[in-house]
Amino acid sequence: METLLLNSDEVHENAEMAELVPAVEEAFAAYERGDAQMPPKSYIDLPEYNGDFRSMPAYLDAGDWDAAGVKWVNVHTDNEDEYDLPTVMGTMIYSDPRNAFPLAILDGTELTMKRTGAAAAVATDHLAVADASSLGIVGAGVQAYTQLEAIASVRNIEEVVVSDLDEERVARFIDAFEDRFAVRAGSIAEAAACDVLSTVTPVEDPIVPRDAVGEHTHVNAMGADAEGKHELADDLLLDAKIVIDDHAQTTHSGEINVPYAAGVLTDADIYGEIGEILVGDRAGRTDADGITVFDSTGLAIQDVAAAHVVYEHANERDNGYPFDLLGLAD
């Protein structure tokens, strides 16, 4: 038995949204049913290096398949300036739950981008209006690309409005997609007026006001992943049907963490978790709904589900580099 080493290009090639989105949906449902184990994310703080490490282990049983793994990820804010390295890097170890054999070691950075997009697509599929055809994106960084790729797999997206302070990033985004969509630069208000809005910024002061958002817009709030981050105005959140991925994580580090800590928003203002909708315990979008918001912090079960899809495809296609990690070859 050999372990498969998969770099970012190979993860990208084998993480097809048509299969990744259903796999992430199955992971959310398994978590809700109690068929998953996901210990809290653990941190190693390294203030002397202006960074930290985070470990995210999980196991899930989706019925037709089960999977286990752990993502080891960092945030080192000086990396780009001092070492010419990304601020965030991730490594995923994907294991066979039957015997713990390490089936693959994958680039976790590309994997994270793909599964984050897939999570937004799952929420969009259940919370956006059925005929949604326009997508606004606030923030034109790397996450924006998988937001469009994934959401376009569940809705017939025709028009895309992207907003970012960096005009070069906007130009690169438009160049990447202009052959597939009517994509243009626009203001935050123009993006927020679309049928679906994804926010993928690291801001701590809200940049999306209530009056900019369409009356039936679905919002994927993807940018907040740490305490203090906050993209959407409080009155927008209070006026929306809020669906979260995990209560402990979202109240600590998701979009709702700031108003929740201040007591502006309480548990009574949270409609439920996405898993509850997927298993049929709560309704998704109804005719009575106006604005809906999905607060996504990113869960380890998503990484495991994505790694499952990538590994299965890579194995079938002989992608990657197989090697004898454990020295078991004859």
Side-chain angles (χ1 to χ4, degrees):
M1 296 179 70
E2 291 184 306
T3 301
L4 199 58
L5 183 64
L6 298 164
N7 66 18
S8 59
D9 288 340
E10 289 151 350
V11 171
H12 176 80
E13 180 181 348
N14 292 287
E16 298 173 1
M17 286 299 176
E19 296 187 26
L20 196 58
V21 173
V24 170
E25 182 166 323
E26 290 172 345
F28 281 135
Y31 186 47
E32 180 62 31
R33 292 194 308 265
D35 293 332
Q37 297 180 50
M38 189 176 63
K41 186 187 303 183
S42 62
Y43 291 79
I44 296 175
D45 291 315
L46 301 170
E48 64 270 36
Y49 299 119
N50 287 329
D52 64 59
F53 286 111
R54 309 168 188 193
S55 63
M56 301 173 63
Y59 164 79
L60 69 94
D61 182 354
D64 293 335
W65 54 274
D66 66 346
V70 59
K71 186 170 73 175
W72 179 243
V73 64
N74 76 292
V75 177
H76 280 61
T77 56
D78 297 335
N79 267 8
E80 188 171 346
D81 291 337
E82 293 191 11
Y83 301 103
D84 196 26
L85 287 170
T87 299
V88 179
M89 295 177 285
T91 302
M92 183 77 189
I93 301 172
Y94 178 67
S95 301
D96 189 333
R98 297 173 301 175
N99 51 31
F101 185 80
L103 296 169
I105 299 174
L106 309 86
D107 169 53
T109 306
E110 181 71 18
L111 192 78
T112 300
M113 289 190 291
K114 291 288 188 177
R115 62 81 153 150
T116 302
V122 171
T124 299
D125 198 25
H126 291 271
L127 293 169
V129 293
D131 61 350
S133 62
S134 60
L135 171 64
I137 302 176
V138 178
V142 292
Q143 292 283 0
Y145 292 74
T146 54
Q147 288 294 303
L148 177 49
E149 290 171 3
I151 290 168
S153 74
V154 299
R155 287 295 186 273
N156 184 26
I157 299 299
E158 298 173 357
E159 178 188 5
V160 181
V161 180
V162 58
S163 180
D164 194 294
L165 295 175
D166 188 327
E167 293 181 0
E168 290 186 4
R169 292 206 298 186
V170 171
R172 286 195 297 269
F173 184 88
I174 292 173
D175 184 61
F177 291 106
E178 62 184 353
D179 60 335
R180 296 170 52 194
F181 305 95
V183 55
R184 64 179 177 86
S187 65
I188 290 176
E190 289 174 295
C194 292
D195 298 324
V196 181
L197 170 67
S198 286
T199 57
V200 281
T201 75
V203 299
E204 295 188 357
D205 293 316
I207 55 174
V208 181
R210 167 63 185 88
D211 60 6
V213 179
E215 290 304 313
H216 298 282
T217 295
H218 167 65
V219 184
N220 296 302
M222 313 301 289
D225 61 355
E227 189 175 0
K229 291 186 177 182
H230 190 19
E231 298 180 290
L232 310 180
D234 289 351
D235 57 346
L236 167 56
L237 290 170
L238 290 169
D239 200 27
K241 177 177 178 176
I242 299 174
V243 176
I244 62 179
D245 58 6
D246 176 75
H247 187 275
Q249 283 198 192
T250 52
T251 54
H252 177 265
S253 57
E255 175 57 34
I256 65 172
N257 84 90
V258 174
Y260 189 89
V264 173
L265 184 149
T266 69
D267 287 342
D269 299 304
I270 301 170
Y271 176 72
E273 296 187 358
I274 187 68
E276 295 178 280
I277 294 173
L278 300 180
V279 301
D281 289 345
R282 290 187 183 273
R285 172 165 283 276
T286 69
D287 292 340
D289 288 334
I291 297 170
T292 55
V293 170
F294 175 53
D295 183 355
S296 171
T297 55
L299 306 180
I301 52 170
Q302 297 167 223
D303 296 306
V304 170
H308 167 74
V309 171
V310 170
Y311 173 75
E312 293 297 323
H313 278 309
N315 203 34
E316 293 167 1
R317 299 167 178 172
D318 292 325
N319 292 152
Y321 172 71
F323 67 110
D324 185 18
L325 176 67
L326 301 185
L328 301 177
D330 295 334

